[in-house]
Amino acid sequence: MKKLFIYLLLPLLILGSCTKLDQEFYSQVTPGTFFKSEKDILAALNRPFTHARWYVGEDRWYLQEHTADNFAITTKGPHWENGGENKRYHYHSWTPDDGWIWGSWRGTLMGIALALDARSDLEKLDYSKFALTTDDQQAHINQLNTLIAYFYMRGLDFFGGLPIFNSLEGENLPRNTDQEVFAHIEQLLKTAIEKLPPKSQLDEPAAGELKQAAAAAMLAELYFNAEVYIGRPMYQECQQLSQDIIDGKYGPYQLDATWYGPHSFKNDRSPEIIWSIPSEFNKLQYDWFYSSFYHYNSREYFGQDMGANNGTHMTPSRRPDSTLYRNEWKLGSPFEKFDNGDLRKKPYRYLGSSNYEGMFLVGEQRKPDGGVINGTQEYDRRPLFLRDQVGRFSEVGPGKKYSSVAQLPSNMSEGEENTGVRLVKVPIPTLADNSLRWGADNPVIRLTEIYYMLAECKWRRGDIAGAAGLINTVRKRNFVNGADPNPVLAANFDKYRFIDEWSIEFLGEGRRRTDLLRWNMFTTEKWWDHNPSGSDHLKRFPVPTQAISGNNNLQQNPGY
């Protein structure tokens, strides 16, 4: 095997493969002998997309959300202390030895390597021998170029400069600069936009492939965050691309009529999906979050048979005494940022026939038939009530540690089993409709993001009314008859209202840290149990110790 690929692959095999790599790897078989049909070509093309399915969740999601203001994994009695790692991310005191950082560095370079390997094979083929055209070949190659650009852009966001490699030859490459990686991503995407086909029809279902609009959306995102990445604002360039996407230059897309359309069991047919990762029950299913997000007995709430670990929850909107954290900080409090009339704020309920309502597990937890759900730890044999608060409420009362809730501390060490509202953005059916389970694809890029990017570009360039109009166009679908009680107005549209709108619409979609960085809030603002560090070096994660130990040409980021 090629040396670089061994360097990237061995840690994956040692730590457990994200793609399970149970298929035979054909790196030493020439394309001319392996590829016998179009099916073989598609298998090679799809292999790095299987890696992308894993990559868009897990460690990358944790780095984006658990270092920001909307989610936390509190210590819950004897559970989730994890050597303090969860707290280090929340308090911005992570180290080069922490696991999510290593997993993300490793996963980024592995994704690039897999896509490069597939591209190398497909470039060598004579597509006419498979009754395919050169346009087909260019579409396949540029899907891979777009995917390579995606991995590099995520790596740039997390770490800054990465080693740039265009083949799997060589080893121990040094890091390129932020500017060089930015330029590499930009060129890959510009080329892909020219070569990829556009979406042809509005009702064309998403099937996981990258089309022209996906490459254009990624390039818009690169420009959108350019000031963070390379110190150069490029909002005008982002604005033009975003407007072109909305205007249909790269194919027909439109906002879904409902809030749940882009997330539902049938979201592959949502007109606003630009790129999604397909999911199907027992077939590369999109389910990584379930075990972390939900309580041990949430299976009873969902009418399901799946256990969970009761880890991740939303940060609290309320103090232990039930008053809101309104005057202490402006970020966080994600549940209470939703208006009470917002259809999404209802408790999640599966209604049958693939229909559901609401987006949260909150308050009294009951089975689909109305039966009471009890806790298993502090609330063993007592009804389970999920609180939008953090505190050891089970330790309040006569003869207990605290005489009243007013004495309860609220911090990362003081959770218990009922701590925190839980997000249900991916619908979960009851066992009666279990064929629908994990049928919702993972919407990586949707048109709503383009509307919000365009709005922010307009806002930053002084068109506050134009920005508000775009946000309100999206907001109205979240209310009965489109009657929004709290639309964005020029008078109330400051930076905090804007960052709240990003939070409300994209809650839990693995982007929060990036949004806070762009608004210069990640290291400067306070949120629940988090004081700002003011340290610019924390805007990038460190190069993992394991990466440097395997490649002494890698230089550590400043400040670590």
Side-chain angles (χ1 to χ4, degrees):
M1 266 192 187
K2 299 157 185 172
K3 292 181 179 178
L4 177 59
F5 193 75
I6 288 177
Y7 167 66
L8 293 170
L9 181 60
L10 282 180
L12 200 62
L13 295 177
I14 292 168
L15 296 177
S17 169
C18 58
T19 60
K20 297 186 180 178
L21 291 178
D22 47 7
Q23 71 272 35
E24 184 178 353
F25 193 78
Y26 294 96
S27 68
Q28 296 201 45
V29 182
T30 65
T33 60
F34 169 60
F35 291 94
K36 301 297 185 182
S37 67
E38 181 181 0
K39 182 180 178 181
D40 296 328
I41 291 174
L42 295 178
L45 174 66
N46 290 334
R47 186 170 60 227
F49 282 88
T50 302
H51 180 83
R53 178 200 69 85
W54 165 82
Y55 183 87
V56 296
E58 303 199 28
D59 291 352
R60 273 64 50 205
W61 190 94
Y62 292 134
L63 288 184
Q64 286 286 73
E65 299 289 358
H66 281 300
T67 63
D69 58 327
N70 284 338
F71 290 89
I73 302 176
T74 52
T75 300
K76 301 174 183 67
H79 304 290
W80 288 106
E81 178 61 22
N82 285 25
E85 185 172 7
N86 300 325
K87 297 174 186 175
R88 288 197 295 276
Y89 290 113
H90 189 82
Y91 297 145
H92 290 190
S93 58
W94 51 74
T95 76
D97 298 315
D98 282 325
W100 299 344
I101 293 171
W102 167 232
S104 296
W105 174 276
R106 175 177 58 89
T108 299
L109 294 182
M110 183 65 182
I112 295 166
L114 284 167
L116 280 173
D117 188 67
R119 188 183 75 180
S120 175
D121 284 347
L122 298 187
E123 285 174 333
K124 297 170 186 174
L125 293 179
D126 180 353
Y127 265 49
S128 65
K129 294 181 178 179
F130 305 91
L132 297 171
T133 68
T134 54
D135 286 344
D136 293 326
Q137 186 173 32
Q138 285 301 309
H140 292 167
I141 289 169
N142 281 286
Q143 281 200 66
L144 294 168
N145 281 334
T146 304
L147 191 59
I148 292 166
Y150 174 78
F151 287 126
Y152 267 118
M153 183 160 62
R154 300 314 313 143
L156 177 64
D157 189 277
F158 288 138
F159 302 104
L162 297 170
I164 294 176
F165 50 102
N166 287 297
S167 75
L168 302 188
E169 301 293 345
E171 62 180 338
N172 292 345
L173 298 175
R175 299 173 69 189
N176 290 80
T177 67
D178 297 1
Q179 290 79 6
E180 288 169 339
V181 173
F182 185 97
H184 184 58
I185 299 166
E186 182 181 36
Q187 187 54 55
L188 285 168
L189 292 173
K190 283 183 173 180
T191 301
I193 290 170
E194 294 176 359
K195 302 291 185 180
L196 286 172
K199 181 181 178 181
S200 57
Q201 299 178 21
L202 183 62
D203 60 356
E204 178 183 337
E209 74 271 31
L210 287 161
K211 292 188 177 292
Q212 199 175 53
M218 289 183 201
L219 185 59
E221 182 183 345
L222 183 71
Y223 292 151
F224 192 46
N225 295 293
E227 189 169 13
V228 175
Y229 296 160
I230 58 171
R232 177 186 168 195
M234 299 184 72
Y235 295 108
Q236 183 173 352
E237 291 86 345
C238 175
Q239 180 170 333
Q240 184 61 60
L241 274 166
S242 298
Q243 189 67 64
D244 287 344
I245 294 168
I246 291 170
D247 290 344
K249 181 177 179 179
Y250 304 109
Y253 300 87
Q254 67 181 30
L255 293 175
D256 203 297
T258 65
W259 70 264
Y260 53 82
H263 310 286
S264 69
F265 297 106
K266 300 177 182 178
N267 65 344
D268 61 322
R269 298 187 177 275
S270 172
E272 76 171 60
I273 298 297
I274 294 176
W275 180 37
S276 62
I277 305 291
S279 174
E280 188 176 348
F281 188 29
N282 287 334
K283 295 180 181 178
L284 298 177
Q285 57 195 35
Y286 170 43
D287 65 349
W288 67 268
F289 51 87
Y290 182 91
S291 62
S292 176
F293 280 25
Y294 302 123
H295 184 272
Y296 315 112
N297 283 346
S298 288
R299 63 181 183 276
E300 297 181 33
Y301 186 95
F302 293 124
Q304 270 290 348
D305 59 1
M306 300 175 288
N309 299 327
N310 200 28
T312 294
H313 56 81
M314 290 158 58
T315 54
S317 305
R318 297 179 181 273
R319 302 176 184 87
D321 67 4
S322 296
T323 57
L324 292 168
Y325 284 121
R326 277 184 177 152
N327 300 321
E328 295 186 39
W329 47 76
K330 295 185 177 181
L331 299 186
S333 301
F335 184 68
E336 286 300 330
K337 292 289 171 66
F338 287 80
D339 291 286
N340 288 335
D342 194 316
L343 294 169
R344 296 168 294 183
K345 201 175 184 181
K346 292 182 179 182
Y348 173 83
R349 285 293 180 190
Y350 180 68
L351 304 176
S353 301
S354 79
N355 297 310
Y356 65 98
E357 66 179 10
M359 206 169 72
F360 300 101
L361 301 190
V362 60
E364 187 178 44
Q365 299 297 281
R366 288 187 171 270
K367 302 174 185 179
D369 65 4
V372 173
I373 299 172
N374 291 330
T376 64
Q377 306 290 316
E378 294 91 348
Y379 298 93
D380 183 30
R381 290 175 290 182
R382 288 188 288 168
L384 181 65
F385 187 98
L386 295 182
R387 298 174 175 269
D388 189 18
Q389 298 158 287
V390 174
R392 300 282 300 167
F393 291 89
S394 62
E395 297 179 358
V396 176
K400 294 186 178 181
K401 186 174 181 179
Y402 304 103
S403 60
S404 71
V405 293
Q407 296 178 330
L408 282 178
S410 183
N411 57 54
M412 287 288 289
S413 298
E414 300 295 333
E416 54 185 9
E417 67 171 309
N418 68 347
T419 288
V421 178
R422 314 303 169 90
L423 176 66
V424 189
K425 208 148 199 179
V426 179
I428 299 170
T430 59
L431 280 171
D433 281 348
N434 212 35
S435 61
L436 293 172
R437 192 161 98 184
W438 313 131
D441 296 347
N442 183 358
V444 184
I445 305 173
R446 52 193 182 96
L447 189 64
T448 309
E449 179 182 357
I450 311 304
Y451 268 73
Y452 275 51
M453 286 198 297
L454 178 59
E456 187 173 321
C457 291
K458 286 178 176 287
W459 189 96
R460 289 178 180 274
R461 302 183 75 207
D463 183 3
I464 309 300
L470 287 162
I471 300 298
N472 289 332
T473 297
V474 176
R475 278 183 59 93
K476 66 182 181 181
R477 71 183 179 188
N478 304 310
F479 302 91
V480 175
N481 298 322
D484 184 353
N486 184 28
V488 177
L489 305 173
N492 67 14
F493 205 8
D494 64 5
K495 65 179 183 179
Y496 292 106
R497 177 66 189 262
F498 214 135
I499 201 67
D500 283 350
E501 292 301 327
W502 277 109
S503 173
I504 293 165
E505 178 62 29
F506 294 93
L507 182 65
E509 294 190 37
R511 61 172 299 129
R512 187 58 172 173
R513 169 185 158 275
T514 299
D515 290 331
L516 294 180
L517 282 168
R518 194 178 56 259
W519 284 96
N520 194 30
M521 296 180 180
F522 186 63
T523 60
T524 61
E525 292 282 340
K526 185 177 182 180
W527 53 83
W528 175 79
D529 198 27
H530 174 91
N531 291 313
S533 67
S535 300
D536 281 350
H537 79 278
L538 295 172
K539 295 177 180 179
R540 294 284 186 270
F541 293 111
V543 180
T545 300
Q546 287 173 273
I548 292 176
S549 66
N551 178 2
N552 56 16
N553 286 324
L554 294 176
Q555 297 296 313
Q556 183 57 270
N557 279 331
Y560 293 105

